[in-house]
């Protein structure tokens, strides 16, 4: 089992930046895929970005060019750098781990989840 804890959320003005962190309880990067999801009130959980065990990444269209996912294997941490934030990025952001080598933006495919961190972007 893997425990995940997100941090770095907060309130930011439109156009600002935040960096989210996801700390894993043990080393997962060789055999697992990791993703960031978000869920706004009244909306379905949405895949934002993911990174596979080989380092390849994927992004949902609305964040391409603004968000960057990366990992620090030594620290067992995955980051989501978010720039040029928009009010529509407001949501609870979750990280999740999938017991497969390659990532997906489909939340149903993930096995372990963190409790989430709130991101609020004001206009």
């Amino acid at each position: 089992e893997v425990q995940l804890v997100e941090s770095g959320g907060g309130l930011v003005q439109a156009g600002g930046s935040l960096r989210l962190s996801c700390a894993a309880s043990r080393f997962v990067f060789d055999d697992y895929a990791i993703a960031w999801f978000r869920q706004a009130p009244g909306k379905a959980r949405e895949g934002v970005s993911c990174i596979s065990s080989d380092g390849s990444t994927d992004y949902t269209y609305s964040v391409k060019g603004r968000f960057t996912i990366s990992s620090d294997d030594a620290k067992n941490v995955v980051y989501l750098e978010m720039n040029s934030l928009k009010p529509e990025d407001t949501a609870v952001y979750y990280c999740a781990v999938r017991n497969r080598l390659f990532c997906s933006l489909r939340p149903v495919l993930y096995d372990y989840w963190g409790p989430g961190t709130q991101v609020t972007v004001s206009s």
Side-chain angles (χ1 to χ4, degrees), residues 59-89:
Y59 298 88
T60 192
Y61 180 79
S62 64
V63 308
K64 284 183 179 180
R66 300 190 297 124
F67 291 11
T68 303
I69 190 170
S70 62
S71 65
D72 185 332
D73 295 7
K75 295 182 179 179
N76 293 350
V77 177
V78 172
Y79 301 102
L80 185 68
E81 185 76 35
M82 306 187 295
N83 299 312
S84 302
L85 282 161
K86 304 175 181 180
E88 51 263 44
D89 294 318

Short mmCIF file of all heavy atoms in Angstrom, two decimals, residues 59-89:
data_model
loop_
_atom_site.label_atom_id
_atom_site.label_comp_id
_atom_site.label_asym_id
_atom_site.label_seq_id
_atom_site.Cartn_x
_atom_site.Cartn_y
_atom_site.Cartn_z
N TYR A 59 -0.90 15.60 -20.37
CA TYR A 59 -1.65 16.72 -19.79
C TYR A 59 -3.02 16.81 -20.44
O TYR A 59 -3.16 16.57 -21.63
CB TYR A 59 -0.91 18.05 -20.02
CG TYR A 59 0.45 18.13 -19.39
CD1 TYR A 59 1.58 17.69 -20.07
CD2 TYR A 59 0.61 18.64 -18.10
CE1 TYR A 59 2.84 17.75 -19.49
CE2 TYR A 59 1.86 18.71 -17.52
CZ TYR A 59 2.97 18.26 -18.21
OH TYR A 59 4.20 18.33 -17.63
N THR A 60 -3.99 17.22 -19.65
CA THR A 60 -5.26 17.54 -20.26
C THR A 60 -5.10 18.85 -21.04
O THR A 60 -4.25 19.69 -20.72
CB THR A 60 -6.37 17.67 -19.21
OG1 THR A 60 -7.64 17.70 -19.84
CG2 THR A 60 -6.21 18.92 -18.35
N TYR A 61 -5.91 19.01 -22.09
CA TYR A 61 -5.70 20.10 -23.03
C TYR A 61 -5.72 21.47 -22.35
O TYR A 61 -4.93 22.36 -22.68
CB TYR A 61 -6.78 20.05 -24.11
CG TYR A 61 -6.65 21.15 -25.13
CD1 TYR A 61 -5.72 21.06 -26.16
CD2 TYR A 61 -7.45 22.29 -25.05
CE1 TYR A 61 -5.61 22.08 -27.09
CE2 TYR A 61 -7.34 23.30 -25.97
CZ TYR A 61 -6.41 23.19 -26.98
OH TYR A 61 -6.28 24.21 -27.90
N SER A 62 -6.60 21.64 -21.38
CA SER A 62 -6.79 22.98 -20.80
C SER A 62 -5.59 23.47 -19.99
O SER A 62 -5.50 24.66 -19.67
CB SER A 62 -8.04 22.98 -19.92
OG SER A 62 -7.88 22.11 -18.82
N VAL A 63 -4.65 22.59 -19.64
CA VAL A 63 -3.50 23.02 -18.84
C VAL A 63 -2.19 22.93 -19.61
O VAL A 63 -1.14 23.31 -19.08
CB VAL A 63 -3.39 22.21 -17.52
CG1 VAL A 63 -4.70 22.23 -16.77
CG2 VAL A 63 -2.91 20.79 -17.76
N LYS A 64 -2.22 22.45 -20.82
CA LYS A 64 -0.99 22.32 -21.61
C LYS A 64 -0.33 23.68 -21.79
O LYS A 64 -1.00 24.67 -22.13
CB LYS A 64 -1.28 21.68 -22.97
CG LYS A 64 -1.50 20.19 -22.90
CD LYS A 64 -1.72 19.58 -24.28
CE LYS A 64 -1.90 18.08 -24.18
NZ LYS A 64 -2.11 17.45 -25.49
N GLY A 65 0.97 23.72 -21.54
CA GLY A 65 1.70 24.96 -21.66
C GLY A 65 1.68 25.80 -20.40
O GLY A 65 2.44 26.76 -20.28
N ARG A 66 0.82 25.44 -19.44
CA ARG A 66 0.75 26.19 -18.19
C ARG A 66 1.20 25.35 -16.99
O ARG A 66 1.78 25.89 -16.05
CB ARG A 66 -0.69 26.66 -17.94
CG ARG A 66 -1.24 27.57 -19.01
CD ARG A 66 -2.57 28.18 -18.58
NE ARG A 66 -3.62 27.19 -18.36
CZ ARG A 66 -4.30 27.05 -17.23
NH1 ARG A 66 -4.03 27.82 -16.19
NH2 ARG A 66 -5.25 26.13 -17.14
N PHE A 67 0.92 24.07 -17.00
CA PHE A 67 1.26 23.17 -15.89
C PHE A 67 2.40 22.26 -16.31
O PHE A 67 2.49 21.84 -17.47
CB PHE A 67 0.06 22.31 -15.49
CG PHE A 67 -1.08 23.06 -14.85
CD1 PHE A 67 -1.16 24.44 -14.83
CD2 PHE A 67 -2.11 22.34 -14.25
CE1 PHE A 67 -2.21 25.10 -14.23
CE2 PHE A 67 -3.17 22.99 -13.64
CZ PHE A 67 -3.22 24.37 -13.65
N THR A 68 3.23 21.90 -15.34
CA THR A 68 4.32 20.96 -15.58
C THR A 68 4.39 19.96 -14.43
O THR A 68 4.45 20.36 -13.26
CB THR A 68 5.67 21.68 -15.68
OG1 THR A 68 5.60 22.67 -16.72
CG2 THR A 68 6.78 20.70 -16.01
N ILE A 69 4.39 18.68 -14.78
CA ILE A 69 4.53 17.63 -13.78
C ILE A 69 5.99 17.15 -13.77
O ILE A 69 6.63 17.08 -14.82
CB ILE A 69 3.57 16.46 -14.05
CG1 ILE A 69 3.53 15.48 -12.88
CG2 ILE A 69 3.92 15.74 -15.35
CD1 ILE A 69 2.42 14.43 -12.99
N SER A 70 6.49 16.87 -12.58
CA SER A 70 7.85 16.37 -12.46
C SER A 70 7.96 15.52 -11.21
O SER A 70 7.07 15.55 -10.35
CB SER A 70 8.86 17.52 -12.41
OG SER A 70 8.64 18.33 -11.27
N SER A 71 9.05 14.76 -11.12
CA SER A 71 9.24 13.91 -9.95
C SER A 71 10.65 14.04 -9.43
O SER A 71 11.59 14.30 -10.18
CB SER A 71 8.92 12.45 -10.29
OG SER A 71 9.85 11.95 -11.23
N ASP A 72 10.77 13.88 -8.13
CA ASP A 72 12.07 13.82 -7.46
C ASP A 72 12.16 12.43 -6.84
O ASP A 72 11.61 12.19 -5.76
CB ASP A 72 12.18 14.92 -6.41
CG ASP A 72 13.56 14.98 -5.77
OD1 ASP A 72 14.23 13.93 -5.69
OD2 ASP A 72 13.95 16.07 -5.33
N ASP A 73 12.83 11.52 -7.54
CA ASP A 73 12.88 10.15 -7.08
C ASP A 73 13.52 10.02 -5.71
O ASP A 73 13.11 9.20 -4.88
CB ASP A 73 13.64 9.28 -8.09
CG ASP A 73 12.92 9.20 -9.43
OD1 ASP A 73 11.93 9.92 -9.61
OD2 ASP A 73 13.37 8.41 -10.28
N ALA A 74 14.53 10.80 -5.46
CA ALA A 74 15.25 10.70 -4.19
C ALA A 74 14.36 11.05 -3.01
O ALA A 74 14.55 10.56 -1.89
CB ALA A 74 16.48 11.58 -4.21
N LYS A 75 13.40 11.94 -3.25
CA LYS A 75 12.53 12.40 -2.17
C LYS A 75 11.17 11.73 -2.19
O LYS A 75 10.34 11.99 -1.32
CB LYS A 75 12.34 13.91 -2.26
CG LYS A 75 13.63 14.71 -2.03
CD LYS A 75 13.35 16.20 -2.09
CE LYS A 75 14.61 17.01 -1.84
NZ LYS A 75 14.36 18.46 -1.90
N ASN A 76 10.91 10.87 -3.18
CA ASN A 76 9.58 10.25 -3.33
C ASN A 76 8.50 11.30 -3.44
O ASN A 76 7.43 11.20 -2.82
CB ASN A 76 9.26 9.33 -2.14
CG ASN A 76 10.16 8.11 -2.09
OD1 ASN A 76 10.91 7.85 -3.03
ND2 ASN A 76 10.11 7.38 -1.00
N VAL A 77 8.73 12.33 -4.21
CA VAL A 77 7.80 13.44 -4.35
C VAL A 77 7.52 13.71 -5.83
O VAL A 77 8.43 13.66 -6.65
CB VAL A 77 8.34 14.72 -3.69
CG1 VAL A 77 7.38 15.89 -3.92
CG2 VAL A 77 8.54 14.51 -2.20
N VAL A 78 6.27 13.98 -6.12
CA VAL A 78 5.86 14.43 -7.45
C VAL A 78 5.33 15.85 -7.32
O VAL A 78 4.60 16.15 -6.36
CB VAL A 78 4.78 13.51 -8.04
CG1 VAL A 78 4.22 14.09 -9.34
CG2 VAL A 78 5.35 12.13 -8.30
N TYR A 79 5.70 16.68 -8.26
CA TYR A 79 5.29 18.09 -8.22
C TYR A 79 4.35 18.41 -9.38
O TYR A 79 4.40 17.78 -10.44
CB TYR A 79 6.52 19.00 -8.33
CG TYR A 79 7.53 18.79 -7.24
CD1 TYR A 79 8.70 18.05 -7.48
CD2 TYR A 79 7.34 19.33 -5.97
CE1 TYR A 79 9.64 17.86 -6.48
CE2 TYR A 79 8.27 19.14 -4.97
CZ TYR A 79 9.42 18.40 -5.23
OH TYR A 79 10.34 18.21 -4.23
N LEU A 80 3.54 19.41 -9.17
CA LEU A 80 2.74 19.99 -10.25
C LEU A 80 2.95 21.49 -10.19
O LEU A 80 2.45 22.16 -9.28
CB LEU A 80 1.26 19.64 -10.12
CG LEU A 80 0.40 20.12 -11.29
CD1 LEU A 80 0.74 19.35 -12.57
CD2 LEU A 80 -1.10 19.96 -10.98
N GLU A 81 3.75 21.99 -11.12
CA GLU A 81 3.99 23.43 -11.21
C GLU A 81 2.87 24.03 -12.04
O GLU A 81 2.64 23.62 -13.19
CB GLU A 81 5.34 23.68 -11.88
CG GLU A 81 5.75 25.14 -11.92
CD GLU A 81 6.25 25.65 -10.57
OE1 GLU A 81 6.88 24.85 -9.85
OE2 GLU A 81 6.01 26.84 -10.27
N MET A 82 2.17 24.99 -11.45
CA MET A 82 1.01 25.58 -12.13
C MET A 82 1.25 27.07 -12.33
O MET A 82 1.41 27.80 -11.35
CB MET A 82 -0.26 25.35 -11.29
CG MET A 82 -0.51 23.90 -10.94
SD MET A 82 -2.10 23.62 -10.15
CE MET A 82 -1.87 24.52 -8.63
N ASN A 83 1.30 27.48 -13.57
CA ASN A 83 1.53 28.88 -13.92
C ASN A 83 0.33 29.44 -14.67
O ASN A 83 -0.51 28.69 -15.16
CB ASN A 83 2.79 29.01 -14.78
CG ASN A 83 4.03 28.54 -14.05
OD1 ASN A 83 4.27 28.90 -12.91
ND2 ASN A 83 4.83 27.71 -14.73
N SER A 84 0.28 30.76 -14.76
CA SER A 84 -0.82 31.43 -15.47
C SER A 84 -2.18 30.89 -15.03
O SER A 84 -3.03 30.57 -15.85
CB SER A 84 -0.64 31.27 -16.98
OG SER A 84 0.60 31.78 -17.41
N LEU A 85 -2.36 30.80 -13.74
CA LEU A 85 -3.58 30.20 -13.21
C LEU A 85 -4.81 31.03 -13.56
O LEU A 85 -4.75 32.27 -13.64
CB LEU A 85 -3.46 30.03 -11.70
CG LEU A 85 -2.61 28.83 -11.27
CD1 LEU A 85 -2.15 28.96 -9.83
CD2 LEU A 85 -3.39 27.54 -11.46
N LYS A 86 -5.91 30.32 -13.76
CA LYS A 86 -7.18 30.92 -14.13
C LYS A 86 -8.23 30.56 -13.08
O LYS A 86 -8.11 29.53 -12.42
CB LYS A 86 -7.63 30.40 -15.49
CG LYS A 86 -6.62 30.59 -16.61
CD LYS A 86 -7.11 29.94 -17.89
CE LYS A 86 -6.10 30.10 -19.01
NZ LYS A 86 -6.57 29.46 -20.28
N PRO A 87 -9.27 31.36 -12.95
CA PRO A 87 -10.33 31.01 -11.99
C PRO A 87 -10.90 29.62 -12.22
O PRO A 87 -11.27 28.94 -11.26
CB PRO A 87 -11.37 32.10 -12.23
CG PRO A 87 -10.58 33.28 -12.68
CD PRO A 87 -9.48 32.70 -13.52
N GLU A 88 -10.95 29.18 -13.46
CA GLU A 88 -11.48 27.84 -13.75
C GLU A 88 -10.57 26.72 -13.31
O GLU A 88 -10.94 25.55 -13.38
CB GLU A 88 -11.81 27.70 -15.25
CG GLU A 88 -10.70 28.10 -16.18
CD GLU A 88 -10.85 29.52 -16.70
OE1 GLU A 88 -11.16 30.44 -15.89
OE2 GLU A 88 -10.63 29.72 -17.91
N ASP A 89 -9.37 27.04 -12.84
CA ASP A 89 -8.48 26.03 -12.26
C ASP A 89 -8.83 25.75 -10.79
O ASP A 89 -8.25 24.85 -10.17
CB ASP A 89 -7.02 26.47 -12.35
CG ASP A 89 -6.52 26.57 -13.78
OD1 ASP A 89 -6.83 25.67 -14.58
OD2 ASP A 89 -5.81 27.55 -14.08
#
